[in-house]
């Protein structure tokens, strides 16, 4: 299960961007992930930012379009980008042929409904299996940060909120803030998790923030959102995150960026700020 097959390698800003394939015991299929190792990794272990991508994406979207390697090399941060779902002939996709469920749309939850429960356990993969593999096989430390976009922004928020002490920092671009109350989330959660909406709360950032005990960890949340995002009003709804954070005393920096949409042009415009946000926490 720990065998890695390197499928690509590219020199980048003095470091290396590499892609690997491995067999995931958690997901029951082969998975591909990418890692960017900055030049500092040649001299010793470096901290890691885990990046979770959005609907329809693979590891390649972020690594090729975000332009993160230059500042990651400057700051000495590795970046690990997993795929967004299990894949393969034996992994069921959307029975209706949609793009917002199944392949490319794992939603970073642990499914408990058949047939999805056999493979769709992206939460366990991202939080446990992949970091254990990365930390065993690459020159990285156990200092971790997490970020993501859209569905991956939702994933980053819940991974941090559900695991106090595991991550030094968290941020998100245009996250699905309240998936239990939006069309994308309702479709995915009803299939992966069943019809009992009470069980959905364990996978919803707004609900997790509301349930944080008074003495619980409150990592400052950094969120960027374009105000020209076509999904803003129906799917993302950052005002719900702001309300939840205000009521719970959760620190939140929510930046509404004028004229920006949901694309990687938006992510590339502000990724440097997020990398510096994580670097400051990872150094502490």
């Amino acid at each position: 299960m720990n065998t890695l097959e390197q499928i690509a390698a590219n020199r980048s800003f003095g470091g290396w961007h590499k892609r690997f394939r491995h067999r995931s015991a958690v997901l029951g299929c082969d998975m591909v992930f990418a890692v960017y190792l900055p030049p500092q990794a040649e001299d010793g272990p470096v901290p890691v930012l885990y990046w979770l991508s959005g609907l329809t994406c693979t590891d390649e979207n972020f690594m090729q379009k975000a332009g993160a390697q230059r500042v990651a090399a400057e700051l000495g941060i590795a970046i690990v980008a997993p795929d967004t779902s299990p894949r393969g002939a034996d992994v069921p996709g959307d029975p209706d042929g949609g793009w917002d469920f199944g392949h490319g749309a794992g939603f970073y939850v642990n499914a408990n409904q058949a047939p999805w429960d056999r493979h769709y356990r992206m939460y366990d993969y991202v939080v446990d299996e992949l970091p254990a593999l990365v930390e065993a096989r690459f020159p990285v430390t156990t200092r971790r940060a997490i970020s993501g976009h859209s569905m991956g922004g939702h994933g980053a928020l819940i991974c941090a909120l559900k695991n106090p002490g595991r991550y030094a920092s968290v941020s998100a671009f245009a996250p699905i803030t309240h998936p239990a109350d939006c069309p994308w989330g309702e479709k995915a959660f009803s299939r992966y998790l069943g019809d009992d909406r009470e069980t959905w709360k364990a996978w919803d950032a707004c609900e997790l923030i509301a349930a944080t005990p008074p003495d619980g960890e409150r990592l400052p949340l950094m969120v960027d959102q374009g105000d020209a995002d076509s999904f803003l009003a129906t799917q993302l709804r950052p005002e719900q995150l702001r309300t939840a954070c205000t009521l719970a005393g959760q620190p939140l920096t929510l930046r509404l960026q004028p004229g920006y949409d949901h694309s990687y042009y938006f992510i590339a415009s502000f990724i440097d700020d997020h990398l510096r946000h994580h670097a400051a926490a990872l150094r502490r």
Side-chain angles (χ1 to χ4, degrees), residues 217-230:
E217 180 185 69
R218 284 173 168 79
L219 287 179
L221 307 183
M222 179 178 181
V223 174
D224 271 313
Q225 172 66 62
D227 72 0
D229 191 322
S230 60

Side-chain angles (χ1 to χ4, degrees), residues 30 97 102 135 179 191 221 226 230 241 254 256 281:
D30 288 347
E135 290 163 14
R191 295 183 179 186
L221 307 183
S230 60
L241 181 66
L254 174 59
L256 291 176

Side-chain angles (χ1 to χ4, degrees), residues 240-257:
Q240 294 184 318
L241 181 66
R242 189 196 300 276
T243 298
C245 288
T246 299
L247 293 174
Q250 167 65 54
L252 170 67
T253 300
L254 174 59
R255 307 191 307 184
L256 291 176
Q257 303 293 0

